[in-house]
């Protein structure tokens, strides 16, 4: 399928895919510095990203466009019924990114429904239900530890204590929000909780961020479940001492302790199916070349397709950490920063995606999501299911090499349009 260009196979020019590609490219050009991309509240440049999304939503013909108290960009396209009592399909994805990111993680899932609305608007069509597209803020948890921070506001799960979380420079979330022109007040945030009776469900389109679809030569895949995860920030404490004079058997080397933990986590996860473990951040604060590390900070990201497997991994990693510190005369602190349960797709919405993909003449391939998504947070409020889009370069993601073809982007929009036709 990858070889057959869309217009050979379907006789269609991928103009929607091209528009999506151009938007993604244009937003990426905004990224004059890493930080403003990763955090919704960082700099006016990032507000530009939110404002740019709002401008494009206006151009697409949304009836309501705005930025809410946690920085979500929300566009609503009304249906035929009076807005007051109409039901809505909720959809969208996040617009913040990790550092050194690609340009499709999150954003693709905002652009796809925006283009479907643009096509409806241009055709002067209204569906029996409204379409609410959300560009979620703060999904990645790069600047502040809380992840799914902004999608949590829709489910009523926003923890007011998060407002006091500080970034690496000691700026609180509350102040960062206010610097970005947001109220930074709990009342304004708790008011964002959605009434589940007003919604048909939630769907999210996202790049796969993995190698499966690329290896199968498939443009689209249906997500069966989103892995559950637990995240920690930790620090092992030993004793800083002279690198030249301290005998090897008398050291309390904090970095060596973390190194042992990393290799244990890697081996434990590699030997268990559908389980992954990652230490993505590692630092010897004020380290020196000739000083044995007295402290070593690290992060932990543990994931599995079921909560039971996730928690079994968690227990084993804790046990190993205790054993390492016992043996090496070290102590540790481990702070949980996030726990998300595995989120199985709603069967009805999964079936709608399967019917939509079949309509395009494509095979249905089902796969779990190793990555977390806003859908796993909205899962607490509404039935949800996701559609994955093939990533090029072996599906690499959280890396500037992240890529999607114009043709696959076009197919994603057309699958979304086919899904809309099955919602009523
Ligand atoms: O970490 C994740 O799985 C997602 O990119 N937030
Ligand atoms: Mn991501
Ligand atoms: Mn993402
Ligand atoms: Mn996500």
């Amino acid at each position: 399928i990858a070889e057959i260009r869309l217009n050979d196979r379907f006789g269609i020019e991928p103009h929607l895919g091209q528009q999506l590609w151009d938007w993604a490219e244009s937003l990426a050009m905004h990224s004059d510095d890493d930080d403003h991309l990763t955090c919704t509240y960082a700099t006016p440049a990032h507000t530009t990203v939110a404002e740019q999304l709002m401008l494009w939503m206006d151009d697409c013909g949304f009836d309501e466009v705005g930025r809410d108290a946690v920085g979500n960009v929300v566009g609503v396209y009304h249906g035929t019924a009076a807005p007051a009592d109409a039901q809505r399909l909720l959809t969208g994805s996040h617009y913040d990114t990790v550092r050194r990111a690609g340009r499709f993680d999150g954003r693709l899932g905002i652009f796809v429904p925006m283009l479907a609305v643009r096509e409806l608007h241009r055709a002067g069509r209204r569906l029996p239900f409204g379409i609410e597209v959300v560009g979620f803020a703060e999904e990645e948890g790069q600047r502040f530890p809380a992840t799914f921070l902004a999608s949590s506001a829709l489910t009523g799960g926003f923890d007011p204590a998060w407002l006091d979380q500080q970034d690496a420079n000691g700026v609180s979330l509350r102040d960062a929000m206010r610097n970005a022109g947001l109220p930074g007040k709990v009342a304004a945030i708790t008011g964002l909780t959605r009434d589940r009776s007003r919604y048909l469900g939630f769907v999210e389109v996202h790049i796969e961020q993995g190698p499966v679809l690329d290896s199968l030569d498939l443009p689209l895949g249906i997500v069966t479940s989103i892995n559950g995860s637990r995240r920690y920030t930790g620090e092992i404490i030993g004793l800083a001492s002279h690198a030249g004079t301290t005998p090897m058997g008398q050291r309390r080397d904090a970095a060596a302790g973390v190194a042992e933990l990393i290799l244990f986590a890697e081996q434990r996860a590699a030997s268990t199916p559908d389980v992954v473990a990652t230490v993505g951040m590692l630092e010897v604060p004020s380290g020196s070349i000739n000083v044995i590390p007295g402290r070593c900070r690290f992060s932990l990201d543990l994931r599995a397709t079921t909560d039971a497997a996730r928690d079994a991994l968690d227990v084993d990693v804790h046990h190993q950490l205790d054993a390492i510190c016992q043996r090496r005369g070290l102590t540790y602190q481990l702070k949980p920063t996030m726990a998300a349960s595995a989120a199985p797709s709603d069967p009805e919405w999964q079936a709608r995606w399967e019917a939509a993909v079949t309509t395009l003449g494509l095979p249905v391939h089902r796969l779990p999501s190793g990555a977390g998504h806003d859908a796993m947070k909205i899962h607490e409020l509404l039935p949800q299911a996701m559609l994955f889009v093939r990533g090029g370069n072996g599906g690499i993601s959280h890396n500037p090499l992240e890529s999607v073809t114009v043709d696959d982007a076009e197919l994603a929009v057309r699958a979304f349009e086919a899904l809309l036709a099955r919602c009523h």
Side-chain angles (χ1 to χ4, degrees):
I1 289 174
E3 279 72 46
I4 299 171
R5 302 245 345 133
L6 269 183
N7 43 21
D8 304 342
R9 181 181 173 82
F10 299 102
I12 46 177
E13 267 313 306
H15 66 289
L16 297 169
Q18 189 59 57
Q19 174 63 80
L20 186 148
W21 220 91
D22 295 347
W23 280 345
E25 187 80 4
S26 158
L27 274 198
M29 302 316 281
H30 275 289
S31 58
D32 48 7
D33 69 270
D34 242 3
D35 263 356
H36 93 259
L37 271 184
T38 58
C39 166
T40 316
Y41 317 115
T43 64
H46 198 90
T47 308
T48 310
V49 170
E51 283 163 357
Q52 181 59 68
L53 285 173
M54 289 191 275
L55 288 173
W56 286 333
M57 282 185 173
D58 273 336
D59 295 344
C60 290
F62 282 82
D63 300 294
E64 302 167 40
V65 175
R67 188 164 67 123
D68 71 16
V70 287
N72 293 320
V73 173
V74 184
V76 182
Y77 185 70
H78 294 157
T80 46
D85 50 22
Q87 287 230 301
R88 290 176 180 175
L89 173 65
L90 187 67
T91 184
S93 191
H94 59 99
Y95 69 89
D96 67 315
T97 70
V98 295
R99 291 178 185 81
R100 308 292 307 128
R103 55 198 60 178
F104 296 99
D105 177 9
R107 280 110 191 257
L108 179 132
I110 306 167
F111 297 149
V112 164
M114 280 172 62
L115 285 162
V117 165
R118 192 184 75 174
E119 293 300 280
L120 287 169
H121 176 67
R122 287 185 173 175
R125 285 185 55 215
R126 297 271 173 186
L127 300 176
F129 53 91
I131 301 171
E132 180 173 330
V133 181
V134 183
F136 291 106
E138 289 308 285
E139 186 263 3
E140 298 282 8
Q142 296 296 291
R143 180 175 172 191
F144 297 98
T147 55
F148 308 124
L149 183 155
S151 40
S152 299
L154 271 64
T155 65
F158 183 91
D159 179 350
W162 289 344
L163 287 171
D164 298 314
Q165 280 186 352
Q166 296 193 345
D167 69 6
N169 304 318
V171 178
S172 70
L173 174 61
R174 178 183 293 101
D175 290 345
M177 284 177 158
R178 288 180 180 160
N179 294 344
L182 300 172
K185 288 194 166 62
V186 178
I189 296 170
T190 43
L192 300 176
T193 305
R194 294 309 196 265
D195 170 357
R196 68 179 68 218
S197 68
R198 295 289 311 274
Y199 293 91
L200 301 170
F202 178 74
V203 290
E204 180 172 358
V205 182
H206 203 288
I207 51 171
E208 178 203 339
Q209 299 183 296
V212 174
L213 295 177
D214 195 29
S215 66
L216 296 171
D217 228 354
L218 285 177
L220 304 177
I222 313 285
V223 175
T224 53
S225 174
I226 307 169
N227 279 3
S229 53
R230 280 190 186 282
R231 287 186 188 175
Y232 296 89
T233 52
E235 182 167 29
I236 285 189
I237 299 110
L239 181 67
S241 59
H242 199 296
T245 58
T246 313
M248 290 311 289
Q250 294 172 29
R251 295 178 175 213
R252 289 164 51 199
D253 183 332
V258 177
E260 251 198 270
L261 183 72
I262 292 171
L263 292 176
F264 169 79
E266 181 191 48
Q267 171 273 328
R268 166 61 170 79
S271 58
T272 321
D274 298 333
V275 159
V276 289
T278 313
V279 172
M281 299 168 86
L282 194 56
E283 182 202 5
V284 175
S286 335
S288 305
I289 189 165
N290 57 354
V291 177
I292 298 166
R295 308 180 82 92
C296 186
R297 294 189 186 130
F298 59 96
S299 64
L300 256 186
D301 179 320
L302 309 174
R303 308 189 192 201
T305 46
T306 65
D307 289 358
R310 174 200 66 181
D311 294 343
L313 171 67
D314 190 38
V315 164
D316 287 354
V317 167
H318 273 80
H319 280 165
Q320 189 64 17
L321 188 49
D322 286 330
I324 291 167
C325 289
Q326 182 78 32
R327 189 167 8 93
R328 288 174 172 269
L330 305 169
T331 58
Y332 71 86
Q333 290 150 4
L334 202 55
K335 193 169 131 233
T337 57
M338 183 267 240
S341 285
S345 298
D346 172 77
E348 252 179 72
W349 284 100
Q350 184 175 326
R352 288 194 176 107
W353 275 128
E354 293 178 7
V357 164
T358 306
T359 312
L360 297 183
L362 294 169
V364 169
H365 181 76
R366 301 177 188 88
L367 69 166
S369 172
H373 301 286
D374 291 302
M376 71 198 303
K377 185 49 68 181
I378 304 294
H379 179 83
E380 297 166 11
L381 179 82
L382 296 171
Q384 60 78 21
M386 293 183 72
L387 179 74
F388 268 173
V389 182
R390 163 175 49 191
N393 298 324
I396 190 167
S397 180
H398 285 186
N399 180 309
L401 289 174
E402 193 175 275
S403 77
V404 166
T405 64
V406 164
D407 284 5
D408 288 355
E410 177 83 18
L411 287 170
V413 180
R414 288 175 182 270
F416 190 89
E417 290 177 322
L419 174 102
L420 290 177
R422 278 164 181 70
C423 290
H424 51 102

